[in-house]
mmCIF file of all heavy atoms in Angstrom:
data_model
loop_
_atom_site.group_PDB
_atom_site.id
_atom_site.type_symbol
_atom_site.label_atom_id
_atom_site.label_comp_id
_atom_site.label_asym_id
_atom_site.label_seq_id
_atom_site.Cartn_x
_atom_site.Cartn_y
_atom_site.Cartn_z
ATOM 1 N N ILE G 87 14.277 -2.148 -0.140
ATOM 2 C CA ILE G 87 14.761 -2.381 1.240
ATOM 3 C C ILE G 87 15.643 -1.190 1.697
ATOM 4 O O ILE G 87 15.646 -0.754 2.806
ATOM 5 C CB ILE G 87 15.584 -3.642 1.434
ATOM 6 C CG1 ILE G 87 14.640 -4.868 1.037
ATOM 7 C CG2 ILE G 87 16.126 -3.869 2.761
ATOM 8 C CD1 ILE G 87 13.459 -5.077 1.897
ATOM 9 N N GLY G 88 16.396 -0.614 0.823
ATOM 10 C CA GLY G 88 17.244 0.561 1.028
ATOM 11 C C GLY G 88 16.419 1.732 1.477
ATOM 12 O O GLY G 88 16.746 2.459 2.510
ATOM 13 N N ILE G 89 15.351 1.955 0.777
ATOM 14 C CA ILE G 89 14.422 3.111 1.052
ATOM 15 C C ILE G 89 13.808 2.845 2.496
ATOM 16 O O ILE G 89 13.743 3.790 3.252
ATOM 17 C CB ILE G 89 13.316 3.171 0.043
ATOM 18 C CG1 ILE G 89 13.857 3.704 -1.229
ATOM 19 C CG2 ILE G 89 12.212 4.095 0.479
ATOM 20 C CD1 ILE G 89 12.872 3.617 -2.405
ATOM 21 N N ILE G 90 13.328 1.703 2.801
ATOM 22 C CA ILE G 90 12.651 1.345 4.063
ATOM 23 C C ILE G 90 13.627 1.547 5.190
ATOM 24 O O ILE G 90 13.359 2.072 6.258
ATOM 25 C CB ILE G 90 12.103 -0.059 4.034
ATOM 26 C CG1 ILE G 90 10.985 -0.152 2.987
ATOM 27 C CG2 ILE G 90 11.559 -0.507 5.428
ATOM 28 C CD1 ILE G 90 9.784 0.869 3.301
ATOM 29 N N ARG G 91 14.801 0.994 5.024
ATOM 30 C CA ARG G 91 15.831 0.963 6.233
ATOM 31 C C ARG G 91 16.075 2.493 6.653
ATOM 32 O O ARG G 91 16.117 2.808 7.724
ATOM 33 C CB ARG G 91 17.088 0.312 5.753
ATOM 34 C CG ARG G 91 18.152 0.346 6.828
ATOM 35 C CD ARG G 91 19.201 -0.705 6.578
ATOM 36 N NE ARG G 91 19.669 -0.803 5.210
ATOM 37 C CZ ARG G 91 20.452 -1.763 4.695
ATOM 38 N NH1 ARG G 91 20.871 -2.695 5.532
ATOM 39 N NH2 ARG G 91 20.737 -1.774 3.544
ATOM 40 N N GLU G 92 16.286 3.332 5.577
ATOM 41 C CA GLU G 92 16.481 4.822 5.882
ATOM 42 C C GLU G 92 15.282 5.419 6.652
ATOM 43 O O GLU G 92 15.505 6.124 7.502
ATOM 44 C CB GLU G 92 16.777 5.544 4.528
ATOM 45 C CG GLU G 92 18.094 5.250 3.964
ATOM 46 C CD GLU G 92 18.283 6.007 2.539
ATOM 47 O OE1 GLU G 92 17.393 6.743 2.214
ATOM 48 O OE2 GLU G 92 19.335 5.857 1.966
ATOM 49 N N ARG G 93 14.148 5.068 6.117
ATOM 50 C CA ARG G 93 12.889 5.760 6.673
ATOM 51 C C ARG G 93 12.603 5.337 8.109
ATOM 52 O O ARG G 93 12.237 6.110 8.964
ATOM 53 C CB ARG G 93 11.737 5.339 5.724
ATOM 54 C CG ARG G 93 10.372 5.997 6.183
ATOM 55 C CD ARG G 93 10.472 7.466 6.063
ATOM 56 N NE ARG G 93 9.278 8.157 6.685
ATOM 57 C CZ ARG G 93 9.102 8.511 7.932
ATOM 58 N NH1 ARG G 93 10.039 8.204 8.790
ATOM 59 N NH2 ARG G 93 7.939 9.021 8.293
ATOM 60 N N LEU G 94 12.782 4.024 8.347
ATOM 61 C CA LEU G 94 12.483 3.513 9.725
ATOM 62 C C LEU G 94 13.506 3.910 10.884
ATOM 63 O O LEU G 94 13.312 3.885 11.995
ATOM 64 C CB LEU G 94 12.432 2.018 9.755
ATOM 65 C CG LEU G 94 11.337 1.335 8.946
ATOM 66 C CD1 LEU G 94 11.219 -0.202 9.146
ATOM 67 C CD2 LEU G 94 10.022 1.942 9.311
ATOM 68 N N ALA G 95 14.706 4.524 10.281
ATOM 69 C CA ALA G 95 15.665 4.987 11.349
ATOM 70 C C ALA G 95 15.329 6.358 11.745
ATOM 71 O O ALA G 95 15.888 6.858 12.701
ATOM 72 C CB ALA G 95 17.063 5.040 10.624
ATOM 73 N N GLU G 96 14.315 6.946 11.174
ATOM 74 C CA GLU G 96 13.896 8.323 11.626
ATOM 75 C C GLU G 96 13.195 8.322 12.980
ATOM 76 O O GLU G 96 12.414 7.353 13.214
ATOM 77 C CB GLU G 96 13.054 8.998 10.486
ATOM 78 C CG GLU G 96 13.900 9.259 9.268
ATOM 79 C CD GLU G 96 13.111 9.910 8.072
ATOM 80 O OE1 GLU G 96 12.139 10.582 8.413
ATOM 81 O OE2 GLU G 96 13.527 9.824 7.006
ATOM 82 N N PRO G 97 13.225 9.393 13.753
ATOM 83 C CA PRO G 97 12.767 9.398 15.137
ATOM 84 C C PRO G 97 11.240 9.088 15.200
ATOM 85 O O PRO G 97 10.767 8.603 16.190
ATOM 86 C CB PRO G 97 12.982 10.698 15.549
ATOM 87 C CG PRO G 97 14.092 11.330 14.727
ATOM 88 C CD PRO G 97 13.966 10.595 13.432
ATOM 89 N N ASP G 98 10.472 9.536 14.204
ATOM 90 C CA ASP G 98 8.958 9.362 14.314
ATOM 91 C C ASP G 98 8.432 7.896 14.234
ATOM 92 O O ASP G 98 7.397 7.569 14.528
ATOM 93 C CB ASP G 98 8.226 10.122 13.281
ATOM 94 C CG ASP G 98 8.597 9.713 11.888
ATOM 95 O OD1 ASP G 98 9.582 9.037 11.656
ATOM 96 O OD2 ASP G 98 7.701 10.049 10.956
ATOM 97 N N CYS G 99 9.412 6.998 13.942
ATOM 98 C CA CYS G 99 9.151 5.529 13.910
ATOM 99 C C CYS G 99 9.364 4.805 15.165
ATOM 100 O O CYS G 99 9.195 3.606 15.299
ATOM 101 C CB CYS G 99 9.882 4.904 12.740
ATOM 102 S SG CYS G 99 9.333 5.443 11.123
#
Side-chain angles (χ1 to χ4, degrees):
I87 301 299
I89 289 171
I90 293 300
R91 181 164 37 193
E92 287 178 0
R93 182 65 185 87
L94 295 184
E96 294 181 23
D98 64 337
C99 293

